[in-house]
Amino acid sequence: QRGTDKDRWAQEDSLATQWDQRAAMAAEFIPAGVRVLDVGAGAMALGSFLKPGSTYQPADVVERRPGCFVVDLNRREWPPGEYDWVSFLGVLEYIHDIDWPLARARETAPRLLVTYCTDIGADPQLRRGLGWVNDLPAEAFAARLAANGWRVDETREVKRGPSNIQLMYVCSRAG
């Protein structure tokens, strides 16, 4: 099983503040007073945008602060606990087998917030240069969500670039 580039993610400059707006957008969907597991928490911006009474649990491939669960999804490591929401913001592009964490998230929480930078047919080397290891168009990503027991309740565009469109999916456990 292939691991994750921990050296890359241990660098402070990997925590770009440009993604704070994405975290704020995600937090809009999460009600007050819930338990949130943020997988691939990075700078942990999502935690600062949650409504009052919420419990925030970060998890990442490197320890960002005490209490952050250290897990590598590429090595099939998953944090303990049960939650109301799981979030993957800017994570799954770096994961070789995205079905595994999507299935684990479904076992962990009834709600999911996930972003994915869809492949719009640009040069695959652009994606590899960003460290991305998979190339799914929006329809294929939505199909992966459904195959892993998620119903997409809402989709919102986060960012449009020359090589991809980042979409946010708000999901509920299906059936």
Side-chain angles (χ1 to χ4, degrees):
Q1 187 76 347
R2 296 163 287 199
T4 302
D5 184 356
K6 291 182 183 179
D7 290 340
R8 173 189 180 153
W9 297 112
Q11 302 299 317
E12 286 299 320
D13 61 2
S14 72
L15 305 176
T17 57
Q18 67 184 3
W19 298 118
D20 289 1
Q21 184 178 352
R22 176 180 64 195
M25 179 188 295
E28 292 174 20
F29 293 103
I30 302 173
V34 297
R35 299 163 299 163
V36 179
L37 173 63
D38 187 13
V39 182
M44 297 179 273
L46 179 60
S48 64
F49 292 112
L50 292 177
K51 294 172 187 75
S54 294
T55 303
Y56 177 74
Q57 177 59 60
D60 210 315
V61 71
V62 296
E63 186 177 40
R64 300 288 178 194
R65 71 173 191 211
C68 176
F69 291 129
V70 178
V71 296
D72 184 342
L73 298 179
N74 281 318
R75 295 190 185 281
R76 295 194 169 203
E77 298 170 358
W78 187 257
E82 291 184 10
Y83 302 87
D84 302 301
W85 288 80
V86 171
S87 68
F88 297 115
L89 304 179
V91 174
L92 296 182
E93 296 86 349
Y94 303 94
I95 305 305
H96 294 281
D97 173 13
I98 68 166
D99 291 320
W100 186 82
L102 288 172
R104 290 305 309 264
R106 189 179 184 282
E107 296 167 8
T108 302
R111 301 298 310 270
L112 173 70
L113 258 168
V114 57
T115 62
Y116 188 77
C117 290
T118 62
D119 184 354
I120 58 173
D123 179 355
Q125 291 309 314
L126 292 172
R127 294 180 76 83
R128 296 303 168 269
L130 295 167
W132 297 348
V133 297
N134 57 61
D135 310 294
L136 297 173
E139 303 76 29
F141 184 76
R144 300 297 346 125
L145 289 168
N148 286 287
W150 292 106
R151 179 184 70 240
V152 176
D153 299 321
E154 187 169 341
T155 304
R156 187 178 289 183
E157 184 174 310
V158 177
K159 182 176 182 257
R160 186 176 292 259
S163 63
N164 67 78
I165 300 168
Q166 186 177 55
L167 297 174
M168 180 175 293
Y169 299 83
V170 183
C171 305
S172 298
R173 198 185 279 157

